[in-house]
Amino acid sequence: QVQLVESGGGLVQPGGSLKLSCAASGNIFSINSWAWYRQAPGNQRELVAAIPYGGNTNYADSVKGRFTISRDNAKNAVYLQMNSLKPEDTAVYYCNANIVDDDDIRYEYVYWGQGTQVTVSK
């Protein structure tokens, strides 16, 4: 069974930085793509950033130039470096991965982390 575990959320002042991490464990054959989503109270979950295997990253317009997504294939992990944080970045952040597991390499499944709270406030 594949699991995604996130860490790194917390409380930060406007203008500050945080780095989120997400690690996958289990019978993993390959991780084809990673993404970070976020959901603020009363809002729908939205894509923040995505990084396919060996491809170009893409970002929501609201975080371009401030957030950076990266992946470590050897560690089966993804990161989100968040700089110049704003109060409107406050949300629960979820990592997401498209994974092929060892049990059946014919199929790719979508997995989600449990979410980590990021609060930007004075």
Side-chain angles (χ1 to χ4, degrees):
Q1 184 73 11
V2 174
Q3 288 188 321
L4 303 185
V5 178
E6 301 156 358
S7 60
L11 173 65
V12 64
Q13 292 188 348
S17 298
L18 280 176
K19 185 174 183 178
L20 305 182
S21 302
C22 178
S25 62
N27 298 327
I28 297 168
F29 178 78
S30 66
I31 300 177
N32 295 335
S33 65
W34 284 102
W36 286 96
Y37 286 75
R38 67 186 181 187
Q39 187 168 19
N43 290 356
Q44 290 187 333
R45 192 171 296 188
E46 62 175 356
L47 177 66
V48 176
I51 182 169
Y53 193 100
N56 294 327
T57 56
N58 63 83
Y59 297 92
D61 288 342
S62 59
V63 306
K64 281 181 181 176
R66 300 189 297 121
F67 290 11
T68 302
I69 187 171
S70 61
R71 61 187 290 169
D72 184 332
N73 294 326
K75 296 182 178 180
N76 288 334
V78 67
Y79 308 98
L80 186 68
Q81 177 66 48
M82 305 184 293
N83 299 328
S84 302
L85 282 160
K86 304 175 181 180
E88 51 263 43
D89 295 318
T90 296
V92 178
Y93 284 70
Y94 298 90
C95 65
N96 163 286
N98 288 3
I99 295 175
V100 177
D101 64 47
D102 281 337
D103 293 336
D104 191 338
I105 64 171
R106 295 173 297 171
Y107 302 109
E108 176 185 270
Y109 295 95
V110 178
Y111 292 90
W112 291 89
Q114 80 282 2
T116 186
Q117 177 70 45
V118 171
T119 302
V120 185
S121 175
K122 294 180 179 179

